[in-house]
């Protein structure tokens, strides 16, 4: 009897370890940014924006809350603790004076999920952290290119209604809009002539050089087996052309639920409740 009971307990414990997970609630701002409430070094309560394009954390010079217990040396602070819900993270590196999204005091990256599979669940406004791979029913795999903690995905762009143009996009949850093309891609594909332009804004720097931002509509965008229509797409023109990579922004990310495997070589996506929502208007 004792052996049978022990076996049942061990079997149950094994099942629990397969499905064990931690859940971290978040909120989404009207600018599509993910905000998590944190307690840093057991003293500073900060709202941090989740930035998938970084591993560490940072504090904004425009923060609304005090961060007096993060001690910086040459704008870097090592070995901090961060608590998010029931998750405790040690040895977090913070950078000082980095701008962040609206409503946030700073940023926190994917280091809080180090070595774990994690899910961004836009349907339920939460992260889920797994010890092992969760149920992937209904999800499709897409390859990740991991460049020092920054994640790139490949997708097809139908620009002129005929030919698909494959491009790599950096997952960039800090950019509130949809797609933002690199200067090279915009010029090579003639986006200024081929896209329907819906908005334009000109800025000048201290040297009088102009930065022109344009917003257009991409007819079709294909990620895996999912096709989005009339996607909001931006690009730069003018004298200064500093956009070196394509962005897959927060407005695009929220249209899917995401599961990232522990080795960050594969992501699994499934359309979220936001898949067909109107696109964010970049101002």
């Amino acid at each position: 009897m004792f052996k049978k009971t022990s076996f049942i307990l061990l079997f149950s414990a094994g099942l629990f370890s397969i499905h064990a997970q931690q859940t971290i609630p978040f909120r989404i701002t009207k600018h599509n940014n993910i905000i998590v409430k944190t307690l840093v070094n057991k003293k500073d309560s900060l709202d941090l924006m989740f930035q998938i394009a970084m591993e560490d954390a940072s504090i904004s010079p425009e923060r609304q809350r005090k961060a007096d217990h993060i001690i910086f040396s040459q704008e870097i602070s090592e070995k901090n603790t961060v608590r998010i819900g029931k998750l405790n993270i040690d040895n977090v590196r913070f950078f000082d004076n980095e701008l962040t999204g609206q409503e946030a005091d700073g940023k926190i990256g994917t280091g809080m999920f180090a070595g774990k599979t994690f899910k961004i669940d836009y349907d339920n406004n939460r992260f889920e952290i797994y010890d092992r791979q969760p149920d992937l029913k209904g999800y499709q795999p897409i390859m990740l290119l991991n460049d020092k903690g920054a994640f790139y995905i490949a997708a097809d762009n139908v620009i002129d209604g005929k030919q698909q143009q494959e491009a790599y996009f950096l997952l960039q949850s800090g950019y509130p809009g949809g797609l933002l093309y690199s200067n090279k891609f915009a010029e090579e594909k003639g986006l200024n002539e081929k896209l329907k332009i819906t908005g334009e804004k000109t800025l000048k720097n201290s040297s009088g050089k102009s930065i022109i931002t344009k917003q257009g509509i991409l007819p079709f965008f294909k990620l895996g087996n999912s096709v989005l229509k009339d996607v909001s797409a931006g690009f730069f023109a003018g004298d200064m052309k500093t956009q070196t990579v394509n962005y897959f922004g927060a407005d695009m990310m929220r249209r899917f639920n995401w599961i990232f495997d522990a080795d960050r070589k594969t992501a699994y996506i499934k359309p979220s409740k936001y898949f067909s929502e109107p696109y964010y208007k970049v101002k």
Side-chain angles (χ1 to χ4, degrees), residues 98-215:
E98 288 192 2
L99 295 178
T100 186
Q102 289 155 304
E103 302 181 37
D105 303 306
K107 297 176 287 191
I108 191 163
T110 57
M112 62 179 175
F113 307 122
K116 301 284 188 178
T117 295
F118 75 95
K119 178 180 181 180
I120 308 176
D121 185 349
Y122 282 99
D123 286 341
N124 297 292
N125 285 13
R126 66 190 184 193
F127 295 110
E128 295 179 2
I129 307 173
Y130 299 90
D131 292 325
R132 299 187 184 182
Q133 194 175 71
D135 182 10
L136 297 173
K137 183 178 180 181
Y139 285 82
Q140 58 176 311
I142 57 173
M143 184 183 71
L144 284 180
L145 176 61
N146 186 347
D147 182 17
K148 299 177 182 179
F151 306 130
Y152 291 82
I153 57 172
D156 290 323
N157 309 263
V158 180
I159 297 170
D160 53 10
K162 298 178 182 179
Q163 187 176 2
Q164 293 184 13
Q165 305 283 352
E166 186 182 59
Y168 278 90
F169 290 82
L170 172 68
L171 297 184
Q172 175 52 276
S173 57
Y175 174 66
L179 304 176
L180 181 63
Y181 287 104
S182 69
N183 297 122
K184 182 180 179 181
F185 187 93
E187 291 175 358
E188 288 182 350
K189 309 305 179 185
L191 299 187
N192 196 40
E193 293 77 30
K194 293 181 180 179
L195 296 187
K196 178 183 177 181
I197 304 302
T198 59
E200 180 177 322
K201 183 167 60 175
T202 301
L203 302 173
K204 288 187 180 293
N205 68 2
S206 58
S207 301
K209 292 185 177 180
S210 64
I211 302 173
I212 301 173
T213 62
K214 294 192 176 186
Q215 287 296 318

Side-chain angles (χ1 to χ4, degrees), residues 32 169 172 175-180 215 231-234 247-253 255 279-280 282:
N32 299 322
F169 290 82
Q172 175 52 276
Y175 174 66
L179 304 176
L180 181 63
Q215 287 296 318
V231 177
S232 176
Y247 281 175
F248 189 91
D251 188 32
M252 296 295 284
M253 288 201 64
R255 297 173 191 275
Y279 288 97
Y280 177 86
V282 178

Side-chain angles (χ1 to χ4, degrees), residues 23-25 37-39 83-88:
T23 300
I24 300 173
K37 289 192 172 296
T38 71
L39 184 65
R83 181 169 184 175
I84 309 174
K86 295 181 179 179
L87 177 67
N88 292 296

Side-chain angles (χ1 to χ4, degrees), residues 26 52 64 66 89 120 193 197 241 278:
F26 59 71
I52 197 167
Q64 299 298 309
K66 293 182 179 181
I89 315 163
I120 308 176
E193 293 77 30
I197 304 302
K241 299 171 182 178

